[in-house]
Every structure is written in C-alpha cells, then in structure tokens.
Amino acid sequence: MKGIVLGTAGHVDHGKTALVRALTGVETDRWAEERERGLTIDIGFAPLHVDADLEVGVVDVPGHEDFVKNMLVGSTGIDAVLLVVAADEGPMPQTREHLSIARLLGVRHGIVALNKVDRVEPEWRELARDATLEESGRILGHRDWPVVEVSTLTGEGLTELRAHILDLANELPARPEEDVFRMPVDRAFSVAGAGTVVTGTTWSGRVTTGDTVRLLPVDLRARVRSLQVHGSDRDSVGPGSRAALALVGVETSRATRGAVVVSGAAWRSHRRFGARIEVPPESPREIRHGQRVRVFLGTGEVMARVLTERRETVARGTVAWALVDCETPVVARTRDRFILRFYSPVVTIAGGQVAERDPPRAWRRRLESWRALLDGSPSGAIHAAVALAGPTGLAAENVPLASGVPAALAKKTLESSARLRRVRERWFDGDRASAESLESVRQTVGKRFSSELVDAVVTELAERGVVVVSGPGIRLPDHAPVLRPAEQDALESLRSVLESARLEPPPPAELAARVGVERDLLNDLLRLLVEQREIVAITPEIYVTRDAESEARRIVRTVAGHGSPASPAEFRAALTLTRKYLIPLLEHMDRNGVTRRTPQGRVAEDR
C-alpha cells in the first residue's frame, strides 16, 4: 500500500483543524487547553481514507506565530501541503511564512482550500482566490496548486477536495522501500503493557516487528515490540506512514522529540555539516558569517553557527555554501533539507540542504563535489561521495547516507560503475586509487619497472608482512603519523587530561580549551588516539583512556555477575559516577557485549 503524508498549513483561525475534522472525522486537537481556547498548539494526526490502495496520513499543524516551532516538527517528512486560507481574510502573515517553509523544505506539491466561503459573497471569493494565487506564485515560483472552495459549516466543496487529494496522492511518486530505515520522533510516551512508544513519519525504508533499531543521537539499541499506523496493528511499516513503534530497551525519558529511530550501523550523529543555504527574498533578516541560528532538521531543534564560504553575508534572495557548526549533535543524511530561524526574536530566515556530514577543515575545497551531490544524477552523487572519501574509501553501508541516494539504487549504481572499485567492503574512485596507492612506491623505483611488476611485488611484500595494504594505501607495519612540535605538545596535554579525568572526561568544547587547540585539531588528535588504541570512544562526546575503560569493564562485570540483575544505583555506587557519565558507560558496555540489559536490570554476558 502506497503511503503519503499531507500536512496542513495556513494562518491561525483559518480553519485547518475544522477542515481536517470534516475530512477525516478525527479531532486532532488532543489537549484540553487547545479545545478550550479553540487554538491548535501542537501537531495532531488523522488518517484520511480516499482509496483502498492509498494510506494518507494528515498532519495538522498550529497556525499561530508563537507555535511555528511545532509547525516545523509537523512539516518535516510531508509529501504535500494542504494550504488553508480563509475566504473572508485572504493570505495572512503565517500563510506566507508556511508557504516559504514548504518551499525551503522542498515540498513542491499541494492543494489550496479556500475555506469559510459561506461567509462571503462570490465577488469576495474571487478576490481571495486571486490574492492566494498571487502570494503562492510569488513565494513558490508557480501557481500550479489547484484552489478548491470549501466550507466546513455547510460541507460545500468537501467532495471535490477529496477528489483532488486522491489525484494528488496518485501523482506523487512512492518513496522507495529498499532503503535505510529512518523515523524522526515527534512524540514519546509510556503505555502500560507496551512500554515506551514513539511516533513519527517514516522517512525511508521499512521496519518490522522484532527488528533491532537504534535511537539517535543518544545511540541506544532497542527492539520493536509492536507497530501501529493510526491505531491499527501492523507487522511492518514502510515509508510515508504515520507510525507508532513500541520499543523495548529504551526509557521514555531518553526518547524525546527530536530523536531519530534508525536501523543499521551506518547512522551517526554529527555536530557539523556542509550545506547550501538559501535566504528567500521575503526573509526578515540576512545571515552574517558566524551568525547564531536555530537549526530545525527532522523533528529536532539545535543551536548552531553558520560559517559562510567567503565569510560573506548571505543576502535576501541569494544562495551560499556554508558550514553549519551545531552546539549539540544532529542526525543527517546528504540531501536532507532543514530550516534556519533567528535565535531571538525567533523568525524564519532561511533554509538549506545538507551536502556533507562532518566535513574536514578544508571544506571550502570540496564545493564542486557538494554541487554534484545536491544537483547531480544519482550516479553523479555517488561518484562525488566516493571521491570525497579519498584514499580511505567509503564503506558500502555508508554510500546511501553520504550520497543521499536510496540504498537499492545506490547498490545498483555502484555495481554497474566502471570507474568505482570495491576493495572488500569499501568503495574507491578507481582512477584516483590507482594513481595514489602506489605513488610512493613508484617514486622510489622510478620508471625502470612496469606497474604490473610493482603491483605483484607489493602483493608479495604484503603477504610476507613487510608492508601493510590498507584500502588503496600502503604503509610499513610500524608507520605512524608525524606530528608537528605544537601538535605533539597538544597530544601529550590531551593524554594527560584524559588520564587524570579517568571516567569523567571534560566535554569536547572544554577539552579543546584545556588542551589549547581548535575543535578540528582536537577531533583529529582524538581519532589518532583511538586508532592507536590508547583511548576508547564511549560516545561521540566522551573519550576515556583504555586503562580506565578496562578497569570499568572489570567493575561492571563484578557488579553484574552476582547472579541477579544489577540496578543503575548498584553500578553508580561501585563506579562512583554521576548519571551524566554512568548511563553512557553502561550503554557502551551493552553495545560491546559486557552486559545485557533486561527489564529487571543488567546482567553480565558470557565471556
């Protein structure tokens, strides 16, 4: 069954909730306060039955300017817009802001419901229709959305509106099912007998009862106990559905709005991403280099700074490349769209599209590849993603996330490409790999020997352990990176801080300040120590020495091995850690097979 999500939009008091009620029979205002005030505050949901082969979920959003934040949560993941405009008022400020948000989120399909037509004369209807088409044409760049005159009071136009929704749903392409699963969480609550339940719009892929999923950015593993779509039990749920997942192994307090349910090990949370930023002509503000903003991606909101390509100001009506440096982690995929709002006063100022997750310091040199990722064909995007990975290659499981191409299409493209080369589970740009992998060897042997002979000799040396071949790179077994004196001093300082901190290291921002380095260099040094097996990443934000982690393993095994499940309080007493460090450490032990979490507590796994 094809699933699509239809999101309402429009100014406060223009009748969005009443129209959804008339179409679906569902009251989407869930809170008593909403019903008492006659004002939608949070998002609501309802199934719309228009065809046996279609599953249309309606997301009703608030129209008041004070609740645009909640409107953005509901707008993520929608396929089309139902724009509601009151005929007695015409387009109003939130009509325009919602239209702008829809365009920035890449939503190109929609229907206009000219509501409350029973209140006005025919001439006034025509004026409201023309004004709405003029506004939508100015903001969207087209006037293609059909306008249907309706009245929830008399029922006029509702049958015609349903027919238009059915036509629109049939025209929309189905989201590919053969892709990695992702569902941003917009609600989380506890249900007796089911445990933690999270709801959201399934963006991609399929999830099935019994599957193991991960909750990011906290990175907790959970099992899907049961599934529902608008209250109906399902064995599995595909993309484009309003779904509820009952999860085993996750506390409700950890599954907050803004979290993301995913499947597979490739997903990661990141603090930085490269992007193309667009400031629409109607924006109330420009974006300065270093501007502090609110980033709305998925159902999450984080604070960030926008670092522009040439440290320029992004003027209204222009587009620029930028690095978005977030204060807390986000879960993103290349080609994801997001909204930027000013931090205070909170107004929508821009939108953008993710080009690369966690790019290097020299990100400004990668803009041509970013352009190919966002504007190119699926094949061009995949080639660009692999090229950006450079000599280390791109893991096969990461290709769909780094390119933004659905998994099944990415697999087909990779296997049919003559230019890309697979080495075990990683993909390389074949031409570049061939040119770079033996460069140092060929510089030594000169032109006296053929490349075939050089390759054969390298293979033999690798088999004898004289050299190590890692992807397209070749190194001596004892080779290590060479640091400049200042970097070496910083590395020693970092070692000292982490050794002293044991299991309670400072957060990265404080760590960088104490070591006296920029955040980018700190990340490089942390990666180096992880590769050298000196430290262990408990989470992307917590790094401890291997000695401290080993000692923690011993203590955790002792506490969990007494024959009965151990509670967090028992671990806290033994480890003398605050909850801030205790919970991530215990989850790390779960992931690494030291312990297993049960409803009664944690038990030690067999060695």
Side-chain angles (χ1 to χ4, degrees):
M1 182 180 292
K2 179 181 176 181
I4 72 159
V5 179
L6 184 67
T8 65
H11 198 73
V12 64
D13 287 335
H14 279 206
K16 296 184 296 299
T17 301
L19 183 57
V20 172
R21 187 189 311 119
L23 289 170
T24 67
V26 175
E27 174 58 67
T28 55
D29 280 347
R30 297 175 286 114
W31 300 354
E33 180 185 358
E34 292 178 306
R35 294 190 290 272
E36 289 169 3
R37 295 174 61 183
L39 176 69
T40 299
I41 297 172
D42 204 0
I43 51 179
F45 316 99
L48 176 58
H49 305 290
V50 292
D51 188 86
D53 295 326
L54 280 172
E55 197 164 67
V56 179
V58 180
V59 181
D60 185 31
V61 304
H64 196 282
E65 62 180 337
D66 291 346
F67 307 115
V68 173
K69 170 181 176 178
N70 291 342
M71 177 267 174
L72 284 165
V73 171
S75 297
T76 57
I78 66 173
D79 298 291
V81 170
L82 177 60
L83 178 67
V84 183
V85 180
D88 56 347
E89 288 191 329
M92 296 290 282
Q94 262 53 64
T95 311
R96 301 179 185 100
E97 183 174 14
H98 288 191
L99 277 172
S100 182
I101 287 170
R103 186 177 69 80
L104 292 171
L105 289 175
V107 181
R108 297 292 179 258
H109 302 277
I111 300 171
V112 178
L114 193 63
N115 195 20
K116 304 184 181 183
V117 295
D118 57 285
R119 297 186 178 186
V120 299
E121 298 299 322
E123 294 81 1
W124 193 262
R125 293 188 186 191
E126 197 63 32
L127 287 172
R129 172 191 286 265
D130 290 345
T132 302
L133 287 173
E134 182 180 347
E135 287 290 352
S136 62
R138 182 178 63 83
I139 295 173
L140 299 175
H142 64 78
R143 299 167 61 137
D144 298 340
W145 292 2
V147 180
V148 184
E149 297 180 1
V150 299
S151 168
T152 56
L153 185 64
T154 67
E156 178 182 348
L158 294 182
T159 300
E160 182 184 356
L161 181 57
R162 283 175 170 275
H164 276 285
I165 292 173
L166 176 59
D167 290 342
L168 177 61
N170 285 325
E171 291 173 7
L172 287 168
R175 305 189 197 195
E177 289 195 11
E178 297 182 13
D179 198 3
V180 283
F181 176 74
R182 173 168 53 158
M183 188 190 82
V185 174
D186 51 43
R187 283 196 298 161
F189 47 90
S190 180
V191 175
T196 297
V197 176
V198 295
T199 71
T201 298
T202 53
W203 278 21
S204 60
R206 177 169 287 276
V207 65
T208 301
T209 301
D211 282 354
T212 296
V213 295
R214 294 164 60 214
L215 189 72
L216 296 176
V218 291
D219 202 7
L220 297 175
R221 295 180 65 190
R223 179 174 59 82
V224 180
R225 183 199 300 269
S226 60
L227 295 166
Q228 285 190 347
V229 174
H230 291 296
S232 299
D233 292 336
R234 299 290 176 84
D235 292 327
S236 66
V237 176
S241 295
R242 285 293 314 168
L245 281 61
L247 301 179
V248 178
V250 174
E251 297 175 3
T252 306
S253 61
R254 307 300 298 277
T256 56
R257 174 175 287 183
V260 186
V261 181
V262 299
S263 63
W267 290 99
R268 295 284 187 275
S269 57
H270 304 279
R271 284 184 176 268
R272 301 160 16 118
F273 59 86
R276 182 165 57 197
I277 304 292
E278 176 187 359
V279 180
E282 63 273 12
S283 174
R285 289 180 177 270
E286 301 176 324
I287 293 183
R288 294 176 284 104
H289 173 71
Q291 178 72 63
R292 195 163 186 250
V293 297
R294 299 175 186 271
V295 178
F296 290 82
L297 197 163
T299 56
E301 173 191 2
V302 301
M303 300 301 298
R305 292 194 183 275
V306 177
L307 309 177
T308 55
E309 175 192 354
R310 293 184 293 274
R311 297 172 174 80
E312 78 276 27
T313 295
V314 189
R316 297 174 182 88
T318 63
V319 175
W321 296 107
L323 180 76
V324 181
D325 192 0
C326 303
E327 296 178 9
T328 51
V330 297
V331 181
R333 180 180 187 174
T334 293
R335 297 190 174 185
D336 277 354
R337 293 185 179 269
F338 58 90
I339 296 295
L340 298 180
R341 307 193 82 206
F342 197 63
Y343 73 96
S344 181
V346 185
V347 291
T348 302
I349 55 176
Q353 197 169 11
V354 176
E356 184 180 10
R357 304 161 304 155
D358 199 21
R361 282 177 288 176
W363 60 270
R364 292 176 174 87
R365 302 175 188 172
R366 302 162 79 86
L367 302 187
E368 283 303 313
S369 293
W370 287 8
R371 188 171 287 108
L373 282 165
L374 299 186
D375 297 333
S377 64
S379 175
I382 288 173
H383 281 84
V386 174
L388 283 177
T392 60
L394 185 61
E397 63 182 6
N398 272 323
V399 173
L401 303 184
S403 66
V405 177
L409 180 56
K411 183 175 184 292
K412 180 179 178 181
T413 303
L414 287 166
E415 293 174 348
S416 63
S417 173
R419 178 176 141 192
L420 301 179
R421 178 181 302 171
R422 182 169 186 166
V423 180
R424 296 186 177 90
E425 295 304 315
R426 304 188 76 82
W427 285 91
F428 302 89
D429 183 309
D431 296 338
R432 182 172 178 178
S434 297
E436 293 182 355
S437 63
L438 300 178
E439 181 179 352
S440 61
V441 176
R442 288 186 176 126
Q443 286 178 349
T444 303
V445 300
K447 297 182 179 179
R448 291 177 295 165
F449 307 103
S450 70
S451 60
E452 291 82 4
L453 178 58
V454 172
D455 292 344
V457 170
V458 168
T459 299
E460 181 182 344
L461 292 174
E463 291 173 350
R464 290 165 49 194
V466 178
V467 299
V468 176
V469 178
S470 178
I474 303 170
R475 63 176 176 82
L476 295 173
D478 58 351
H479 170 77
V482 178
L483 302 178
R484 293 189 292 268
E487 293 171 336
Q488 186 63 48
D489 291 344
L491 185 67
E492 294 302 324
S493 177
L494 177 59
R495 284 192 178 109
S496 176
V497 171
L498 293 179
E499 286 171 0
S500 299
R502 301 297 291 170
L503 294 174
E504 297 178 295
E510 181 183 339
L511 194 56
R514 289 177 61 175
V515 175
V517 297
E518 295 293 329
R519 181 66 183 273
D520 288 338
L521 178 55
L522 175 73
N523 291 340
D524 292 341
L525 295 177
L526 288 170
R527 278 194 293 268
L528 176 61
L529 292 178
V530 169
E531 291 171 0
Q532 293 178 343
R533 298 182 61 78
E534 293 188 43
I535 64 173
V536 177
I538 302 300
T539 74
E541 300 295 306
I542 301 176
Y543 293 83
V544 303
T545 65
R546 185 161 292 276
D547 286 345
E549 196 263 0
S550 296
E551 176 65 11
R553 282 183 182 240
R554 185 189 65 77
I555 295 172
V556 167
R557 282 190 183 279
T558 300
V559 174
H562 288 158
S564 60
S567 67
E570 294 176 83
F571 290 111
R572 182 169 59 243
L575 292 163
T576 64
L577 292 178
T578 64
R579 183 180 179 85
K580 173 182 175 182
Y581 292 99
L582 176 69
I583 298 303
L585 178 66
L586 293 178
E587 290 166 354
H588 167 78
M589 296 300 174
D590 293 342
R591 290 193 300 272
N592 287 273
V594 179
T595 53
R596 176 169 50 85
R597 187 175 179 180
T598 72
Q600 294 76 35
R602 284 179 168 84
V603 296
E605 289 279 43
D606 295 334
R607 301 194 184 197

